[in-house]
């Protein structure tokens, strides 16, 4: 926020610049800076246009004779349409350097010599107005420096305001802080409105959304004359970065900057009916706002409305249809207290950030609503010649949620700060920020503190402790070494498991990614889940980051697949990524609710929290093009995924089985398997179903692994067992067996291990063949068996006997035939 030091000095005595910056910075403001502003206009003089004639060679130019008090008449050619005889103007003599760097010289314009310039606001660097020259007060003394006639911009104070300190978003708010830090008197402007006119009978106010509007005050000023604002008002607004518009609008902006209370002026003649309503907008209702846009409103928007419809977006921006203009004679002044969250949501929904919404979002002084309306009515009467109607029209909404008192213990504050301030000293410090205090009747060591209406940020004991520290001075608090006892802690089992998973996957060459925990409903549909699948029951976020992603995710898979698509679209040919994060489900009390998908339940005071589970998803994408060192045909991605899952679980201390009869619908039924540990299904792996891959625009084969880490954490890992390496030779036997094509190879591997006996140390599937020589409905599976003993070399007879036992078992149990 930027404000003039001269304006600030009207309300409080200012210390030195160094002290001001140091204490404001230490006192809670951000980025405090003093700025020297305004152009150098020391050469500009007040001139008097003695005579004005039309240029002999140009109808749109004027030849003026100007007196600047030195006894000579200066001839000047001027192109401004508003120049006239007997005006007082700002005159720049030959040799003057204007703020834009132009140095004036004597010039001949269409045959007439011009000696100097009659200046506009833009040429003087005082504003953007270039439609005509700057016309000064007729009483301005001829030849006087311009700075003695009109207020010139001087030094300005720029401060950054923290989001919780709405009370300092005004000139008086900053002055109040300076008074608290340095002492002195606070000089407030007179807010007594005349109120001499007849009482208001033209309208009444009704609040139909009482939770969104706590108080609405309307004052009426009749018979105003809209015109330019006086120079002192224009200068004050300019120093704060606000453009002057007209005397009525400028008064509302001035009061906003003075008190921090946003106001709005309506042209009463443009309102329909005799009722001003504060209500929620109807769905699809339209409002043309002052910025020239027509906005479609939603039911979440709070509006001010008349009989014809919305006339303002409450707390954010007024409507163009009721704007104060040159023909306005009666002005309705609005001063209200809107609920901060409702204003913030409305401003965010429409992409607007205004001076009004900035202050309403941070909270306004509930006791200053009437005062600001009175101040504006008084100024309008003074500057626009209006008559203020007697009394105000006031409507009340719900009670403002406030903290009136806080129980405060000085001894506790001293312990927190490391100070030794007595109780009376703390009472004095709190009084400087407007907090009243008195000893508690039931506890002599406690103070009952009364919070002023403008401090919406004070709610708990620690807030008052901070105020004591600010006013006392942080630099005066002694530095002490912290004292504490460090105790060893045991991290939660879920954290340890997650870190072990990350380490194991990183060792496999995978890259971890993090995505936002939100879902689009269509992404869940793309996974082909059953209608009663619990992953369809997602919690809906009331204020999503993106409107198209309103659900808390119940699965990581869509987020990771979208990430894979983004990388593939950028020509990344090899993708091996994983995400380990939390999933959110319905609260336990709502888990049995069959009311439908995408629940609107949300966490809040009195509401159960969502259930959370830790999940892992791994995605693998095979590159399409072949390279010289690649084999002629790459192994299916399924085996790469299975190898990663098996290695991961083995490193974590689990033995996994991969049954093929429990496959989720988003995986290819011919290239997928479940993941089972200790009899519990904890996930699945395999290649994506083609329909799912198409839904996520994946143009390359993609395999995924999904693990429920919360379920895995509930299972006891097996202790690692180590055996000596045998020094005896191994003996290998290969078997090619014809079995039914529907027979899972994993079951056959388990049966071979059992039938092979104790000397069978390893068995693996190394080939699968269908085609010429293999009957339809059958498949050829090739197994390699490795036999070994620790104490001696196996004989051929022993290996043959074990092999024959396996062959008989395969024929009997799986109808297997040796090839």
């Amino acid at each position: 926020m930027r404000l003039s030091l001269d304006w600030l000095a009207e309300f409080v005595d200012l210390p030195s610049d160094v002290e001001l910056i140091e204490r404001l910075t230490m006192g809670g403001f951000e980025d405090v800076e003093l700025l020297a502003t305004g152009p150098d206009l020391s050469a500009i003089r007040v001139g008097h246009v003695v005579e004005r004639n039309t240029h002999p060679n140009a109808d749109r130019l004027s030849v003026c004779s100007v007196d600047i008090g030195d006894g000579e008449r200066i001839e000047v050619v001027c192109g401004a349409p508003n120049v006239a005889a007997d005006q007082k103007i700002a005159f720049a003599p030959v040799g003057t350097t204007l703020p834009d760097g132009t140095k004036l010289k004597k010039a001949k314009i269409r045959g007439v010599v011009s000696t100097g310039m009659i200046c506009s606001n833009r040429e003087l660097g005082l504003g953007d107005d270039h439609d005509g020259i700057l016309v000064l007060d007729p009483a301005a003394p001829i030849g006087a420096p311009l700075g003695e006639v009109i207020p010139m911009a001087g030094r300005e104070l720029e401060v950054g305001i923290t989001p919780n300190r709405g009370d300092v978003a005004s000139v008086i708010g900053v002055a109040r802080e300076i008074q608290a830090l340095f002492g002195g008197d606070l000089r407030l402007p007179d807010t007594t409105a005349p109120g001499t006119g007849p009482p208001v009978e033209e309208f009444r106010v009704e609040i139909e959304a009482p939770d969104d509007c706590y108080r609405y005050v309307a004052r009426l000023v009749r018979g105003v004359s809209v015109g330019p604002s006086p120079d002192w008002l224009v200068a004050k607004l300019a120093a704060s970065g606000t453009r002057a518009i007209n005397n009525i609008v400028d008064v509302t902006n001035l009061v906003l900057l003075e008190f921090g209370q946003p106001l709005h002026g309506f042209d009463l003649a443009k309102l329909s009916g005799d009722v001003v309503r504060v209500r929620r907008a109807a769905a699809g209702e339209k409002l043309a706002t002052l910025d020239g846009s027509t906005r479609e409103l939603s039911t979440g928007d709070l509006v001010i409305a008349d009989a014809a419809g919305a006339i303002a977006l409450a707390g954010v921006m007024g409507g163009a249809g009721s704007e104060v203009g040159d023909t306005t004679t009666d002005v309705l002044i609005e001063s209200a207290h809107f609920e901060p969250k409702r204003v913030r949501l409305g401003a965010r929904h429409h992409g607007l950030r205004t001076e009004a919404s900035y202050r309403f979002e941070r909270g306004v002084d509930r006791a200053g609503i009437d005062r600001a309306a009175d101040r504006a009515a008084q100024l309008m009467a003074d500057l626009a010649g209006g008559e203020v109607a007697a009394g105000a029209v006031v409507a009340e909404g719900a009670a403002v949620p406030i903290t009136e008192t806080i129980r405060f213990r000085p001894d506790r504050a001293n312990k927190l700060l490391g100070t030794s301030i007595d109780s009376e000293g703390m009472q004095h410090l709190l009084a400087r920020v407007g907090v009243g205090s008195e000893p508690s009747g039931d506890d002599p060591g406690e103070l009952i503190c009364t919070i002023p209406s403008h401090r919406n940020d004070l709610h708990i004991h620690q807030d008052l402790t901070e105020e004591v520290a600010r006013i006392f001075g942080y630099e005066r608090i002694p530095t002490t070494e912290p004292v504490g006892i460090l105790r060893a802690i045991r991290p939660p089992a879920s954290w340890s498991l997650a870190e072990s998973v990350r380490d194991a996957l990183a060792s496999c060459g995978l890259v971890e990614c993090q995505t936002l925990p939100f879902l689009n409903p269509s992404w869940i549909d793309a996974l082909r889940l059953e209608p009663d699948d619990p992953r369809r029951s997602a919690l809906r976020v009331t204020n999503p980051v993106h409107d198209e992603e309103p659900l808390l995710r119940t699965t990581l898979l869509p987020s990771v697949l979208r990430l894979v698509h983004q990388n593939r679209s950028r020509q990344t040919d090899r993708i091996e990524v994983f995400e380990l994060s939390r999933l959110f489900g319905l609260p336990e009390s709502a888990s049995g609710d069959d009311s439908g998908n995408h629940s609107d339940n949300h966490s809040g005071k009195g509401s159960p929290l969502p259930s959370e589970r830790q999940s892992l998803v791994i995605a693998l994408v095979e590159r399409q093009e072949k390279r010289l060192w690649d084999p002629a045909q790459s192994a299916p991605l399924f085996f790469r995924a299975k190898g990663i899952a098996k290695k991961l679980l083995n490193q974590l201390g689990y033995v996994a089985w991969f049954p093929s009869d429990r496959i989720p619908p988003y995986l290819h039924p011919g290239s997928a398997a479940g993941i089972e540990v200790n009899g519990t299904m904890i996930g699945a792996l395999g290649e994506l179903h083609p329909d799912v891959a198409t839904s996520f625009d994946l143009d390359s084969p993609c395999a995924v692994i999904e693990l429920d880490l919360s379920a895995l954490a509930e299972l006891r890992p097996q202790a690692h067992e180590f055996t000596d390496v045998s020094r005896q030779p191994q003996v290998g036997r290969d078997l090619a067996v014809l079995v039914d094509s529907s027979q899972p190879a994993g079951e056959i591997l388990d049966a071979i291990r059992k039938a092979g006996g104790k000397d069978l140390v390893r068995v693996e599937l190394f080939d699968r063949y269908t085609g010429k020589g293999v009957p339809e409905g059958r498949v050829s599976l090739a197994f390699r068996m490795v036999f070994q003993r620790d104490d001696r070399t196996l004989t051929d007879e022993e290996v043959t006997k074990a092999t024959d036992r396996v062959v008989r078992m395969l024929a009997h149990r799986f109808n297997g035939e040796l090839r």
Side-chain angles (χ1 to χ4, degrees):
M1 186 179 73
R2 186 158 53 92
L3 64 155
S4 164
L5 279 182
D6 293 335
W7 193 6
L8 191 59
E10 294 178 15
F11 303 109
V12 70
D13 295 330
L14 299 179
S16 68
D17 293 352
V18 174
E19 288 180 308
L20 182 64
I21 294 176
E22 286 183 353
R23 289 306 304 274
L24 288 181
T25 302
M26 295 293 291
F29 288 94
E30 299 176 340
D31 303 324
V32 181
E33 187 175 359
L34 278 178
L35 306 174
T37 61
D40 179 12
L41 301 179
S42 56
I44 308 298
R45 294 289 184 268
V46 175
H48 177 223
V49 180
V50 179
E51 186 179 358
R52 179 260 177 196
N53 296 300
T54 301
H55 194 291
N57 302 318
D59 292 341
R60 295 188 178 183
L61 296 180
S62 301
V63 179
C64 301
S65 178
V66 178
D67 177 13
I68 61 171
D70 58 2
E72 295 184 8
R73 301 282 181 88
I74 302 174
E75 192 172 74
V76 180
V77 177
C78 179
N82 65 329
V83 66
D86 207 31
Q87 288 177 333
K88 297 291 179 67
I89 48 87
F91 180 75
V94 170
T96 301
T97 301
L98 297 177
D100 63 359
T102 302
K103 187 171 183 178
L104 295 183
K105 299 178 181 179
K106 184 183 293 187
K108 181 178 287 189
I109 302 175
R110 302 294 293 270
V112 176
V113 176
S114 179
T115 311
M117 175 184 286
I118 302 176
C119 301
S120 67
N121 274 318
R122 181 188 292 181
E123 290 157 346
L124 295 173
L126 299 178
D128 295 328
D129 185 10
H130 195 57
D131 294 334
I133 61 169
L134 173 63
V135 180
L136 303 177
D137 190 319
I142 298 173
L146 186 63
E148 296 180 3
V149 176
I150 62 172
M152 302 294 290
R155 293 184 308 149
E156 296 173 1
L157 179 68
E158 188 172 68
V159 294
I161 301 172
T162 56
N164 63 321
R165 291 299 305 275
D167 61 297
V168 293
S170 65
V171 180
I172 291 176
V174 175
R176 190 188 292 120
E177 281 293 292
I178 294 174
Q179 180 206 26
L181 293 169
F182 297 98
D185 296 326
L186 186 65
R187 300 179 288 274
L188 297 178
D190 180 21
T191 57
T192 305
T196 57
V200 178
E201 296 179 352
E202 290 88 340
F203 64 89
R204 66 182 189 277
V205 176
E206 294 181 358
I207 298 178
E208 298 178 2
D211 292 333
D212 299 329
C213 180
Y214 304 126
R215 184 175 177 84
Y216 191 101
V217 176
R219 294 220 62 165
L220 180 60
V221 184
R222 301 184 181 96
V224 300
S225 177
V226 179
S229 295
D231 294 334
W232 64 265
L233 177 51
V234 174
K236 285 185 175 181
L237 296 179
S240 299
T242 302
R243 180 175 61 90
I245 299 174
N246 58 54
N247 50 3
I248 300 300
V249 176
D250 293 349
V251 162
T252 62
N253 288 331
L254 178 78
V255 176
L256 176 144
L257 294 170
E258 268 188 344
F259 289 93
Q261 171 62 45
L263 303 176
H264 187 68
F266 296 99
D267 184 336
L268 187 64
K270 296 179 181 178
L271 303 187
S272 299
D274 60 353
V275 181
V276 174
R277 290 184 171 87
V278 185
R279 61 170 173 83
R280 292 289 188 91
E285 187 173 5
K286 299 291 196 300
L287 172 65
T289 48
L290 291 173
D291 60 354
S293 300
T294 299
R295 303 180 184 278
E296 182 172 338
L297 306 177
S298 69
T299 55
D301 293 324
L302 184 68
V303 297
I304 312 302
D306 62 8
I311 57 175
L313 185 59
V316 183
M317 184 174 287
S322 58
E323 180 181 8
V324 171
D326 294 340
T327 60
T328 300
T329 56
D330 298 338
V331 178
L332 186 160
I333 303 171
E334 169 196 276
S335 181
H337 188 184
F338 300 118
E339 200 274 322
K341 180 180 177 182
R342 183 57 50 199
V343 174
R344 182 171 65 251
L345 291 175
R348 178 177 174 183
H349 176 230
H350 293 283
L352 291 171
R353 180 179 176 83
T354 63
E355 293 289 342
S357 67
Y358 177 85
R359 287 161 176 82
F360 276 125
E361 289 173 19
R362 285 158 175 76
V364 296
D365 183 358
R366 60 183 179 274
I369 312 301
D370 300 68
R371 179 178 58 206
D374 293 344
R375 170 70 167 162
Q378 175 200 64
L379 288 172
M380 287 184 190
D382 292 343
L383 301 180
E387 182 180 45
V388 181
V393 180
V394 179
E396 298 282 353
V400 184
I402 58 174
T403 302
E404 292 185 346
T405 61
I406 298 175
R407 304 180 78 90
F408 179 72
R409 295 193 64 87
D411 57 345
R412 182 184 176 193
N414 278 323
K415 186 176 181 180
L416 287 170
L417 298 176
T419 55
S420 55
I421 307 171
D422 59 25
S423 180
E424 290 184 2
M426 288 199 182
Q427 285 185 274
H428 175 69
L429 292 172
L430 291 173
R432 288 169 61 178
V433 294
V435 176
S437 59
E438 58 182 18
S440 171
D442 53 358
D443 187 347
E446 188 175 62
L447 299 175
I448 304 298
C449 297
T450 305
I451 308 304
S453 61
H454 60 272
R455 291 303 299 270
N456 296 306
D457 60 315
L458 302 181
H459 301 286
I460 59 176
H461 183 281
Q462 288 82 351
D463 294 332
L464 294 183
T465 302
E466 182 182 0
E467 293 303 296
V468 169
R470 284 196 319 111
I471 306 305
F472 180 72
Y474 291 120
E475 71 282 0
R476 297 174 59 192
I477 298 176
T479 302
T480 57
E481 294 292 336
V483 178
I485 300 174
L486 298 179
R487 295 184 176 91
I489 62 170
R490 183 185 298 275
S494 59
W495 183 88
S496 300
L497 176 62
E499 289 302 299
S500 298
V501 169
R502 290 186 173 98
D503 291 342
L505 295 179
S507 70
C508 293
L510 274 68
V511 177
E512 183 175 8
C513 61
Q514 289 288 334
T515 59
L516 294 176
F518 306 111
L519 284 177
N520 185 309
S522 64
W523 303 346
I524 299 180
D525 296 335
L527 295 181
R528 305 174 70 249
L529 300 176
E530 296 294 332
D532 59 348
D533 193 299
R535 285 170 289 191
R536 285 188 175 274
S537 299
L539 288 166
R540 185 175 295 274
V541 181
T542 56
N543 56 338
V545 176
H546 301 292
D547 291 338
E548 64 273 14
E549 299 175 21
L551 306 180
L552 283 176
R553 62 186 174 192
T554 55
T555 170
L556 299 177
L557 196 56
S559 302
V560 175
L561 293 181
R562 282 171 52 82
L563 185 67
V564 169
H565 167 70
Q566 291 174 11
N567 280 271
R568 283 294 303 146
S569 65
R570 289 165 175 77
Q571 290 76 49
T572 305
D573 56 7
R574 182 180 180 85
I575 303 170
E576 295 186 341
V577 297
F578 72 93
E579 180 168 10
L580 193 160
S581 190
R582 295 183 180 184
L583 304 179
F584 303 90
L586 298 179
E588 295 298 331
S589 60
S591 59
D593 184 7
D594 296 327
S595 59
N597 297 335
H598 312 327
S599 170
D600 288 330
N601 292 338
H602 62 279
S603 175
K605 190 172 182 179
S607 301
L609 293 173
S611 60
E612 297 183 16
R613 297 188 69 81
Q614 202 168 44
S615 180
L616 169 72
V617 164
I618 300 170
L620 310 171
V621 173
E622 182 184 59
R623 58 173 173 255
Q624 294 296 293
E625 63 274 12
K626 298 296 181 183
R627 292 183 167 83
L628 293 176
W629 54 86
D630 284 340
Q633 183 176 359
S634 300
L637 272 177
F638 170 82
F639 293 110
R640 168 72 172 149
K642 182 178 178 182
I644 291 175
K646 191 171 183 180
K647 179 180 179 181
L648 169 64
L649 293 168
N650 285 345
Q651 286 190 229
L652 297 175
Y654 299 98
V655 176
W657 307 98
F658 301 93
S660 60
D661 57 341
R662 299 178 64 182
I663 300 172
Y666 49 80
L667 296 182
H668 195 297
S671 183
I675 303 176
E676 180 181 315
V677 173
N678 297 350
T680 301
M681 290 295 297
I682 64 164
L685 62 87
E687 296 187 24
L688 282 181
H689 191 285
D691 292 345
V692 177
T694 301
S695 297
F696 287 93
D697 296 327
L698 300 181
D699 57 358
S700 302
C702 177
V704 297
I705 305 168
E706 190 171 29
L707 287 178
D708 185 345
L709 295 185
S710 293
L712 185 64
E714 296 174 0
L715 305 176
R716 182 185 296 275
Q718 297 179 356
H720 291 284
E721 296 182 2
F722 299 93
T723 57
D724 292 335
V725 177
S726 175
R727 297 175 179 272
Q728 305 303 321
Q730 297 179 344
V731 180
R733 291 287 189 272
D734 292 345
L735 294 177
V737 186
L738 292 175
V739 296
D740 292 340
S741 58
S742 61
Q743 176 61 50
E747 293 182 10
I748 299 176
L749 284 169
D750 294 341
I752 292 175
R753 291 188 185 96
K754 294 177 181 178
K758 63 179 182 180
D759 294 336
L760 179 62
V761 295
R762 188 170 71 253
V763 59
E764 60 186 22
L765 174 69
F766 69 88
D767 186 47
R768 182 181 187 277
Y769 173 72
T770 57
K772 186 177 180 181
V774 177
E776 186 176 352
R778 304 280 277 178
V779 62
S780 174
L781 301 179
F783 300 93
R784 174 165 294 123
M785 301 183 294
V786 177
F787 298 89
Q788 187 180 35
R789 288 182 64 105
D790 294 332
D791 54 346
R792 61 179 176 81
T793 301
L794 287 169
T795 65
D796 234 17
E797 183 180 354
E798 290 172 320
V799 174
T800 301
K801 184 177 179 179
T803 303
D804 291 342
R805 188 166 60 247
V806 170
V807 171
R808 290 194 299 272
M809 181 275 298
L810 293 174
H812 174 72
R813 183 172 173 182
F814 300 103
N815 192 24
E817 303 176 50
L818 289 181
R819 290 187 65 196

